């Protein structure tokens, strides 16, 4: 589903954030992306979301070669990927409902369908009662769950998360991880960058570990 | 077919939603929106108002188009047969549309009637008035230089004592009007450009204000067209409302001017009323406004949207 081969990423300041990276993620697989701060985790996810482009090598996601994807096709490509951020990136002047509805509105979904799907997504993250609230009226964990609802509302085959539990206490973090597991169970490919080793040691999923932009040796 | 209808309806509905959403956004910041709209309105009203004035001057001078005429006073010693023949000859000139021959006795009769000095005239031993040929130049010969050379040719005829151009001031007014027209066109273009810049700048600020929102929309798969649309509609509303404001500004100004002008034209015994093109301006000003609005917004959007990418 996600296939990196010999991928290099050099930023405009000539810093090489990723060097010769190759790995493969199966369809429906759930995996963690770990590594020290500055190892290149966010950079890797940005390549998948086409926020950045690889300087060298090939990235193939859902059978699409990202190196060759023209700019005008990027929006349609991104609709296949749900992205969750540490700082949730919610629109502060829109209600929870409107935030979650955004991907559906963009895709030109019908009005009735939007209402149905937004409520289903909010139900899944346990926020059905808060759809009329503004994000500011929610706790950090609740805001994170709104971000997750927005990422999954149009049922993308791939779900990316960059430190989704970074600001949360262990209890909430575990709840969020359980949420991600539920999406894996319905066939979504889930890829989560995280620092939270204590949490993921208890979970039976693959870890892809970066060390200064390279794949760390297995078992390290 | 039914699918097409459905998706077309859906599409129009979506546009309508964005259009109303953009209007709502203006409404949410009434003071700053109003100020922008008024500035646009004034910038559009100014050239339009001047254009109206000019149009009216043109209309007035148009009423006197036939008034451009040359009076040829025939030498006293020219026989009336010769004068009559000269009249016939002049009618064949291409520069001349028509002539009116007025014998000296007709001149006398006219003078008697218009002056009321009949008794005095009757007491004169002979008719002191010359025969007159009144010449209306051909329409394409009304320009100042053409009239001038016609006048010179007529004056050099041996039978002619005096060739007198009436309404020279009308010619001057016309050429003045032309100059003014060009000035207003330039002014109009400059002010349109400033409207373009005002709207462009307003939209630029709106884009910067919603920078984070634009990033999020791009991240979840919003196309450029989707992101552009509300800003174009914002420009559309600014332009449209600005154009309507311009129209109202002119409406009010003309209302204030109408009384004094009617009085003035009554004093001059003229039928003149101020025609301020209400109907056509009602369409023109908002149309120009919204075109400028969409164009200004489009320029701002194409310049500033590209720079905003998700990080
Ligand atoms: N836009 C950029 N321009 C230049 N260098 C960058 C840019 N973004 C990231 N880097 C550098 O690339 C390296 C990897 O950054 P990245 O954000 O991918 O690390 P990370 O593994 O996500 O770290 P963290 O765990 O702290 O989030 C860092 O050294 C960072 O300074
Ligand atoms: Mg990071």
């Amino acid at each position: 589903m996600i296939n990196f081969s010999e991928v290099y990423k050099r930023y405009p300041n000539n810093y090489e954030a990723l060097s010769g990276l190759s790995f493969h993620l199966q369809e429906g697989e759930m995996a963690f992306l770990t590594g020290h701060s500055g190892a290149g985790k966010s950079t890797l996810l940005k390549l998948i979301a086409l926020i950045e482009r690889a300087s060298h090598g090939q990235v193939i996601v859902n059978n699409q070669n990202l190196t060759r994807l023209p700019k005008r096709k990027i929006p349609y490509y991104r609709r296949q990927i749900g992205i969750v951020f540490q700082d949730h990136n919610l629109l502060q002047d829109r209600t929870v409902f409107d935030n979650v509805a955004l991907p559906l509105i963009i895709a030109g979904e019908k009005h009735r369908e939007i209402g149905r799907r937004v409520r289903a997504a909010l139900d899944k993250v346990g926020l059905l009662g808060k759809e009329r609230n503004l994000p500011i009226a929610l706790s950090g964990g609740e805001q994170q769950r709104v971000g997750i609802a927005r990422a999954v509302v149009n049922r993308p085959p791939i779900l990316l998360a960059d430190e989704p539990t970074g600001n949360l206490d262990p209890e909430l973090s575990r709840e969020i991880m359980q949420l991600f597991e539920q999406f894996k169970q319905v066939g979504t490919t889930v890829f989560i960058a995280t620092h939270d080793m204590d949490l993921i040691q208890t979970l039976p999923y693959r870890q892809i570990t970066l060390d200064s932009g390279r794949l760390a040796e297995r078992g390290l | 077919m039914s699918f097409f209808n459905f998706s077309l309806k859906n599409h129009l509905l979506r546009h309508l939603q964005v259009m109303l959403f953009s209007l709502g956004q203006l409404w949410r910041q009434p003071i700053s929106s109003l100020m922008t709209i008024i500035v646009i309105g004034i910038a559009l009203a100014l050239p339009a108002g001047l254009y109206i004035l000019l149009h009216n001057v043109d209309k007035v001078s148009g009423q006197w188009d036939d008034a451009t005429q040359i009076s040829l006073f025939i030498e006293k010693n020219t026989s009336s047969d010769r004068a009559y023949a000269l009249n016939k000859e002049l009618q064949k000139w291409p520069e001349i549309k028509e002539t009116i021959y007025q014998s000296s006795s007709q001149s006398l009769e006219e003078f008697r009637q218009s002056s009321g000095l009949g008794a005095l005239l009757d007491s004169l031993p002979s008719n002191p008035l010359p025969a007159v040929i009144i010449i209306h130049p051909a329409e394409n010969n009304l320009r100042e230089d053409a009239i001038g050379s016609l006048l010179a040719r007529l004056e050099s005829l041996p039978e002619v004592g005096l060739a007198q151009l009436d309404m020279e001031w009308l010619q001057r007014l016309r050429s003045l009007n032309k100059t003014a027209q060009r000035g207003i066109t330039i002014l109009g273009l400059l002010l349109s450009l400033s409207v373009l810049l005002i709207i462009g700048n307003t939209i630029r600020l709106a884009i910067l204000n919603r920078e984070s929102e634009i990033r999020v929309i791009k991240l979840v798969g919003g196309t450029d067209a989707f992101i552009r649309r509300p800003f174009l509609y914002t420009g559309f509303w600014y332009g449209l409302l600005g154009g309507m404001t311009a129209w109202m500004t002119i409406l009010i100004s003309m209302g204030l001017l109408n009384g004094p002008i009617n009085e003035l034209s009554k004093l001059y015994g003229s039928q003149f009323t101020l025609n301020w093109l209400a109907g056509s301006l009602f369409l023109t000003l908002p149309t120009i406004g919204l075109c400028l609005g969409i164009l200004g917004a489009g320029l701002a959007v194409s310049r500033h949207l590209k720079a905003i990418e998700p990080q």
Side-chain angles (χ1 to χ4, degrees):
Chain A
M1 194 62 162
I2 299 176
N3 199 348
F4 275 55
S5 49
E6 285 299 303
V7 172
Y8 289 79
K9 173 61 189 178
R10 190 183 288 277
Y11 279 112
N13 63 359
N14 254 341
Y15 183 83
E16 198 168 80
L18 296 176
S19 321
L21 192 63
S22 301
F23 71 92
H24 181 75
L25 230 63
Q26 300 290 336
E27 183 170 352
E29 189 178 354
M30 176 152 166
F32 292 112
L33 181 61
T34 59
H36 60 88
S37 178
K41 302 183 292 295
S42 299
T43 302
L44 194 159
L45 294 185
K46 283 176 188 170
L47 292 185
I48 300 173
L50 267 183
I51 296 168
E52 296 285 352
R53 296 242 194 196
S55 320
H56 263 290
Q58 219 172 38
V59 181
I60 296 176
V61 178
N62 204 6
N63 301 321
Q64 292 149 97
N65 188 341
L66 300 196
T67 22
R68 293 213 203 101
L69 199 76
K71 207 164 181 293
R72 73 196 145 77
K73 287 198 176 157
I74 290 178
Y76 304 98
Y77 165 75
R78 283 191 185 135
R79 292 177 194 179
Q80 307 162 40
I81 301 176
I83 312 173
V84 179
F85 304 89
Q86 179 174 358
D87 49 1
H88 4 92
N89 264 337
L90 300 178
L91 304 180
Q92 295 299 327
D93 60 343
R94 307 290 176 85
T95 61
V96 166
F97 183 98
D98 288 349
N99 267 284
V100 176
L102 191 61
L104 300 175
I105 293 171
I106 284 169
E109 214 47 79
K110 267 170 284 165
H111 196 67
R112 199 170 338 132
E113 184 72 5
I114 290 176
R116 202 178 64 69
R117 289 227 220 152
V118 169
R119 270 183 280 276
L122 284 174
D123 189 28
K124 188 134 217 164
V125 300
L127 284 176
L128 201 46
K130 309 243 175 178
E131 55 181 81
R132 289 287 141 222
N133 287 32
L134 289 175
I136 198 143
L138 301 180
S139 74
E142 286 170 331
Q143 292 194 31
Q144 191 57 281
R145 282 186 279 160
V146 175
I148 294 173
R150 183 181 66 193
V152 300
V153 72
N154 60 345
R155 302 197 195 110
I158 299 170
L159 187 55
L160 304 178
D162 196 354
E163 303 193 27
T165 61
N167 291 332
L168 306 179
D169 63 46
E171 179 69 27
L172 271 173
S173 301
R174 219 177 337 271
E175 276 178 34
I176 297 284
M177 276 310 164
Q178 279 163 10
L179 211 49
F180 283 119
E181 287 187 272
Q182 286 178 26
F183 294 114
K184 178 227 166 356
Q185 273 148 27
V186 296
T188 309
T189 307
V190 184
F191 199 19
I192 302 171
T194 181
H195 276 132
D196 199 344
M197 298 310 284
D198 291 343
L199 178 59
I200 63 174
Q201 293 311 349
T202 65
L203 297 169
Y205 304 112
R206 176 146 75 113
Q207 290 178 27
I208 292 172
T209 306
L210 293 181
D211 182 8
S212 304
R214 293 167 197 280
L215 216 52
E217 293 299 320
R218 219 171 256 279
L220 201 76
Chain B
M1 186 62 197
S2 79
F3 169 77
F4 174 76
N5 275 341
F6 173 76
S7 85
L8 185 70
K9 205 177 117 200
N10 226 13
H11 192 75
L12 290 178
L13 205 66
R14 203 155 298 130
H15 266 271
L16 196 70
Q17 271 172 351
V18 178
M19 203 167 155
L20 294 177
F21 172 79
S22 304
L23 187 61
Q25 291 239 315
L26 295 196
W27 187 249
R28 272 202 244 166
Q29 300 178 326
I31 305 283
S32 73
S33 302
L34 203 63
M35 283 196 318
T36 307
I37 288 168
I38 288 174
V39 169
I40 295 167
I42 292 171
L44 290 176
L46 202 61
L50 290 174
Y51 176 77
I52 290 169
L53 287 183
L54 219 60
H55 173 84
N56 280 286
V57 170
D58 227 27
K59 200 179 72 163
V60 175
S61 68
Q63 284 177 351
W64 296 320
D65 232 3
D66 294 340
T68 304
Q69 59 179 41
I70 297 170
S71 305
L72 295 186
F73 297 94
I74 306 300
E75 288 280 11
K76 265 317 294 154
N77 56 15
T78 309
S79 71
S80 60
D81 282 353
R82 178 71 206 109
Y84 198 72
L86 177 65
N87 180 42
K88 283 267 171 244
E89 205 175 299
L90 288 176
Q91 278 173 359
K92 291 185 197 126
W93 287 22
E95 301 97 316
I96 291 170
K97 188 168 79 180
E98 58 176 341
T99 67
I100 297 166
Y101 177 71
Q102 188 175 306
S103 69
S104 59
S105 48
Q106 281 169 330
S107 295
L108 185 68
E109 192 52 36
E110 192 191 86
F111 186 65
R112 192 198 299 277
Q113 272 171 18
S114 65
S115 67
L117 297 173
L120 177 68
L121 288 171
D122 286 340
S123 71
L124 290 174
S126 65
N127 180 359
L129 295 178
V132 178
I133 299 175
I134 295 162
I135 290 175
H136 291 279
E139 237 118 73
N140 55 6
N141 233 39
L142 284 173
R143 288 216 333 272
E144 203 165 356
D145 48 342
I147 283 277
S149 69
L150 177 62
L151 197 63
R153 273 184 73 194
L154 290 170
E155 203 142 39
S156 67
L157 294 171
E159 296 89 345
V160 174
L162 176 69
Q164 185 186 315
L165 176 64
D166 298 328
M167 302 291 193
E168 259 176 285
W169 62 272
L170 191 63
Q171 300 294 334
R172 297 224 177 97
L173 183 66
R174 279 224 179 83
S175 67
L176 206 66
N177 211 347
K178 275 226 179 77
T179 314
Q181 236 158 29
R182 190 153 302 166
I184 286 174
T185 308
I186 292 169
L187 185 74
L189 287 176
L190 287 176
L191 286 171
S192 299
L193 186 69
S194 70
V195 169
L196 213 63
L197 294 178
I198 291 164
I199 291 177
N201 195 46
T202 309
I203 300 295
R204 183 182 68 89
L205 291 176
I207 291 172
L208 294 182
N209 257 333
R210 295 174 60 195
E211 197 175 327
S212 57
E213 180 174 347
I214 292 170
R215 287 216 165 87
V216 171
I217 291 175
K218 283 196 174 179
L219 259 184
V220 297
T223 56
D224 284 352
F226 180 89
I227 297 169
R228 211 180 293 135
R229 209 170 293 148
F231 294 111
L232 293 183
Y233 274 116
T234 305
F236 164 90
W237 285 118
Y238 273 128
L240 182 68
L241 295 173
M244 282 158 67
T245 307
W247 187 78
M248 302 234 284
T249 308
I250 290 172
L251 177 78
I252 292 167
S253 315
M254 293 303 152
L256 293 175
L257 279 177
N258 217 7
I261 283 181
N262 279 346
E263 220 136 276
L264 199 68
S265 77
K266 221 176 277 165
L267 281 180
Y268 280 80
S270 152
Q271 298 293 310
F272 179 72
T273 51
L274 194 64
N275 173 3
W276 63 280
L277 311 166
S280 70
L281 281 182
F282 184 65
L283 286 180
T284 315
L285 279 175
T287 307
I288 290 176
L290 72 86
C291 288
L292 289 173
I294 294 173
L295 190 64
L299 290 174
V301 165
S302 70
R303 275 204 53 199
H304 298 287
L305 223 48
K306 271 197 207 90
I308 302 174
E309 283 294 337
Q311 295 161 341

